Amino acid sequence: MVDGETVTAGADGVFARYRVGSGGDEPLRASLTLVRPPGPAPEPATGVLGRASAPADKYYDTMAAEYRVDVPEDLPEGAVLRLHWSGDTGRAHVGETLVADQFFSGRAWDIGRLPAGAALRVRVLPLHADARVHVPLEAAEAARSAVVTRAEWILGRVRAVRAG
């Protein structure tokens, strides 16, 4: 542990949950800037046996919404960027290097191990209405948009271990 961190424990059925943090559980708001709004959703791509395939790389350069997130110079080690987003797929780059990608599931997207002082470029594609992919029912309509609604830094960590 690092000086100033606290550990709290709690039971959750057969698991014990331990939270390691440096104080409050409140996330820190991240700097999020819309660089380019989304274009229309690309036509669905299918591969072998008509199964859905990931969108082609070219669509991230032309149709994806693009956001910039500035990584603070003094970000504590182990901090995670949490994006609240919707769309079909997303990619995150530092410079020209792909550092994370994600298919939309209705959940937040966590990205860790970002270099201090970096500018993160996040691109999100909307889901085409005819795409044959599984998205949880409660998130299906949101996937047709391509938006990051909130970005925050998570400084505490939760670990779950089987009790006993």
Side-chain angles (χ1 to χ4, degrees), residues 7 92-93 104 123 164:
V7 176
H93 290 82
F104 184 65
R123 292 178 172 173

Side-chain angles (χ1 to χ4, degrees), residues 67-71 81 92-94 99 111 114 118-122:
Y67 293 86
R68 176 188 166 111
V69 178
D70 295 317
V71 181
L81 176 66
H93 290 82
V94 173
V99 295
I111 305 171
L114 293 170
L120 182 70
R121 189 175 73 238
V122 177

Side-chain angles (χ1 to χ4, degrees), residues 74-100:
D74 59 348
L75 192 64
E77 186 176 335
V80 172
L81 176 66
R82 177 163 292 160
L83 299 175
H84 298 270
W85 73 294
S86 61
D88 180 16
T89 62
R91 289 185 178 173
H93 290 82
V94 173
E96 295 302 313
T97 303
L98 177 68
V99 295

Side-chain angles (χ1 to χ4, degrees), residues 28-148:
L28 299 175
R29 183 141 289 197
S31 167
L32 177 69
T33 305
L34 176 65
V35 175
R36 179 183 64 222
E43 290 291 323
T46 55
V48 178
L49 302 176
R51 292 186 179 138
S53 295
D57 293 344
K58 66 182 179 182
Y59 297 128
Y60 290 93
D61 293 331
T62 58
M63 297 178 170
E66 185 172 329
Y67 293 86
R68 176 188 166 111
V69 178
D70 295 317
V71 181
E73 288 284 347
D74 59 348
L75 192 64
E77 186 176 335
V80 172
L81 176 66
R82 177 163 292 160
L83 299 175
H84 298 270
W85 73 294
S86 61
D88 180 16
T89 62
R91 289 185 178 173
H93 290 82
V94 173
E96 295 302 313
T97 303
L98 177 68
V99 295
D101 59 353
Q102 187 79 6
F103 285 94
F104 184 65
S105 66
R107 296 182 180 157
W109 177 11
D110 289 348
I111 305 171
R113 300 179 186 239
L114 293 170
L120 182 70
R121 189 175 73 238
V122 177
R123 292 178 172 173
V124 178
L125 282 170
L127 180 66
H128 193 278
D130 296 332
R132 295 176 12 179
V133 297
H134 172 73
V135 176
L137 186 58
E138 61 276 5
E141 191 57 37
R144 300 205 193 310
S145 64
V147 63
V148 178

